[in-house]
Amino acid sequence: MTAASGHAFTAAELETGRLLFARGWDFFHAAASLESLPAMKGLEIAFAGRSNVGKSSLINSLTGQKALARTSHTPGRTQELIFFGAGGPLSIVDMPGYGYAQAPKAKVQEWTGLIHAFLRGRANLARVYLLIDARHGLKSADTAVLDTLDESAVSYAAVLTKADQVPARALEEVRDAVRATLAKRPASYPDIIATSSRTGSGMPELRAAIARLLAERGA
Ligand code: GTP
Ligand code: MG
């Protein structure tokens, strides 16, 4: 068992998670509009969060594939919904970020609309992971997305990113603060895993959590 994430997983769950992400994950679709989404098949999980929070890096770290999702140090790198699959029942969706981005305003507005429409209307979306920079905690830009998630009753869980950038004690403080805010929101899942794409910390737990979700949904 490990409780590093604030949640306990059995050795068997950690192993199931490891195997799920040890498959060869591939890009299979990019959508810049609702009209160009791929057909719904199996279950999807999506990674959402402010621009530059580390969504694409987290997908690379989870899959152990350095260049699967495109990353950049400038906010606004991912500009479409990017779908990855591994031949099984699960697809992973990398999302554009919201909040500040180094891109034309009209474009940012367009993809922000797409984010909300996708989160609201995708029937096979099994869970959204809302990524939060461990250095900053929840920001005002997160509120609109939290509102959309609660309104659409999509299951979602917060994940802290860049845990390598904060001391252990500050990490616990930000985790407690996020937990307290989300406790007031109906659709949020109480466990918050702290991760680092740089060191890989939290990845075994996040893989296990996703594998558990698939098992719960009978996939
Ligand atoms: P957008 O697509 O622009 O919304 O960004 P994103 O959320 O996909 O972020 P991305 O993965 O592109 O990473 C943004 C920056 O954060 C890059 O410079 C990454 O190297 C850095 N980064 C991501 N994860 C971590 C982490 O765990 N630790 C540290 N130290 N840096 C990270
Ligand atoms: Mg990205």
Side-chain angles (χ1 to χ4, degrees):
M1 300 270 251
T2 165
S5 61
H7 195 101
F9 293 100
T10 64
E13 283 178 313
L14 289 165
E15 178 61 7
T16 308
R18 188 187 71 77
L19 290 172
L20 176 64
F21 285 93
R23 299 176 183 184
W25 285 82
D26 278 318
F27 163 86
F28 73 86
H29 195 92
S33 68
L34 279 188
E35 293 70 40
S36 56
L37 288 175
M40 285 192 265
K41 187 176 141 281
L43 295 176
E44 291 169 352
I45 56 169
F47 292 90
R50 290 166 61 231
S51 300
N52 209 243
V53 72
K55 300 173 291 295
S56 303
S57 300
L58 184 82
I59 291 170
N60 291 341
S61 189
L62 272 178
T63 58
Q65 291 176 225
K66 281 197 176 69
L68 183 64
R70 287 193 201 141
T71 66
S72 164
H73 59 272
T74 51
R77 166 77 257 203
T78 309
Q79 306 199 343
E80 296 170 292
L81 298 171
I82 310 287
F83 292 76
F84 303 100
L90 179 69
S91 301
I92 294 176
V93 189
D94 190 9
M95 303 188 84
Y98 48 81
Y100 173 78
Q102 233 162 286
K105 209 173 164 186
K107 207 155 186 205
V108 177
Q109 278 175 350
E110 200 177 294
W111 81 53
T112 304
L114 177 65
I115 292 169
H116 284 266
F118 181 79
L119 295 178
R120 202 172 278 128
R122 190 74 170 167
N124 62 334
L125 188 57
R127 182 167 296 152
V128 175
Y129 285 99
L130 182 77
L131 274 47
I132 299 160
D133 191 317
R135 296 170 300 183
H136 308 309
L138 280 166
K139 292 281 187 183
S140 56
D142 294 309
T143 308
V145 164
L146 288 168
D147 289 346
T148 289
L149 290 169
D150 282 322
E151 281 160 23
S152 55
V154 183
S155 152
Y156 66 92
V159 169
L160 300 180
T161 61
K162 310 192 187 185
D164 57 283
Q165 296 296 301
V166 295
R169 195 152 152 214
L171 192 60
E172 287 324 305
E173 281 169 10
V174 74
R175 195 184 341 229
D176 288 345
V178 171
R179 191 181 285 126
T181 304
L182 294 186
K184 297 172 197 132
R185 289 183 170 268
S188 107
Y189 193 79
D191 297 310
I192 301 172
I193 299 178
T195 64
S196 166
S197 298
R198 193 164 282 180
T199 68
S201 71
M203 295 303 156
E205 291 79 11
L206 185 53
R207 293 185 191 112
I210 295 165
R212 184 186 281 177
L213 170 71
L214 285 189
E216 282 168 4
R217 302 292 171 96

